[in-house]
Amino acid sequence: MKALTKKFSQTLAVAAIVTSAAVMVAMPAQARDLAEIRDDVFQVVNSGAYPPFSFVDTQGNLVGFDVDIAEALAEKMGVEVNVQSSPWNGIIAALVGGRFDACICSMSNTEERRQAVDFTDPYYSAGLSVWVQGSTDDINSIDDFAGKRIGSTLGETGNQWAVENADGKWRNQTFQGLPDMM
């Protein structure tokens, strides 16, 4: 009977976790309104690992283009801002959970992400890029990655593309952020 009770408890716990995760993904983020933010602080998140957009400088400060955008937006709104970093793969969950008011973080607007969070008009356009070491002279097209190891950042559209298009052509190594790749 103890084994059956333990098994039932474990199954129930797993079901509760799965149900909670499904509800969190299906439930769009509920942002605070401006009046609520004015009574508090505008909470903004980015990865802090995507130079020049957001990174930690040598003095330990979170800086970059996205941080500048957040500060300018807060000034225009007439509110105080607190920009924090969070691992990239947890940013949407933090937004949905109400930990932050906004993600000003160079996030690509995808159908999957629109199911959880709202997007503004883009403030810049970049697309996907491939970087190689300066000494590399044998990469001129995607086909030249055959048999090589490539790196991408967990949760980014580039990572999704690299995984979906590898088809055994290359090995993808996933990193937490751009500095980890360097």
Side-chain angles (χ1 to χ4, degrees):
M1 185 66 171
K2 256 186 170 178
L4 183 59
T5 303
K6 184 177 180 181
K7 182 72 173 168
F8 177 74
S9 295
Q10 289 172 338
T11 303
L12 188 59
V14 169
I17 291 168
V18 170
T19 302
S20 296
V23 167
M24 183 178 263
V25 169
M27 181 179 67
Q30 298 298 311
R32 296 186 304 163
D33 63 24
L34 185 55
E36 290 175 296
I37 293 170
R38 283 195 171 127
D39 289 340
D40 190 24
V41 174
F42 184 36
Q43 300 291 342
V44 175
V45 65
N46 64 42
S47 72
Y50 195 56
F53 298 96
S54 67
F55 60 99
V56 178
D57 68 13
T58 56
Q59 286 78 42
N61 301 309
L62 187 59
V63 297
F65 181 71
D66 289 337
V67 175
D68 294 342
I69 294 285
E71 290 171 350
L73 181 59
E75 183 178 329
K76 196 83 158 158
M77 293 166 56
V79 299
E80 184 182 337
V81 67
N82 178 30
V83 183
Q84 299 178 50
S85 65
S86 177
W88 179 255
N89 60 342
I91 285 178
I92 289 178
L95 281 169
V96 170
R99 186 167 166 216
F100 299 102
D101 298 307
C103 168
I104 300 178
C105 60
S106 307
M107 183 182 288
S108 297
N109 184 339
T110 67
E111 178 62 35
E112 180 181 11
R113 291 173 179 166
R114 282 192 302 275
Q115 292 176 18
V117 297
D118 292 327
F119 283 82
T120 64
D121 293 334
Y123 54 94
Y124 79 94
S125 178
L128 293 178
S129 300
V130 175
W131 301 354
V132 296
Q133 294 177 337
S135 60
T136 302
D137 59 4
D138 62 340
I139 304 290
N140 297 301
S141 74
I142 293 297
D143 294 334
D144 296 332
F145 283 101
K148 295 192 171 27
R149 181 176 58 118
I150 66 167
S152 58
T153 303
L154 180 65
E156 290 189 358
T157 51
N159 178 252
Q160 181 180 354
W161 184 91
V163 170
E164 289 174 358
N165 290 280
D167 288 331
K169 296 177 232 164
W170 57 73
R171 295 181 325 276
N172 182 58
Q173 183 171 350
T174 302
F175 295 88
Q176 285 294 324
L178 187 58
D180 293 336
M181 269 192 275
M182 305 311 257

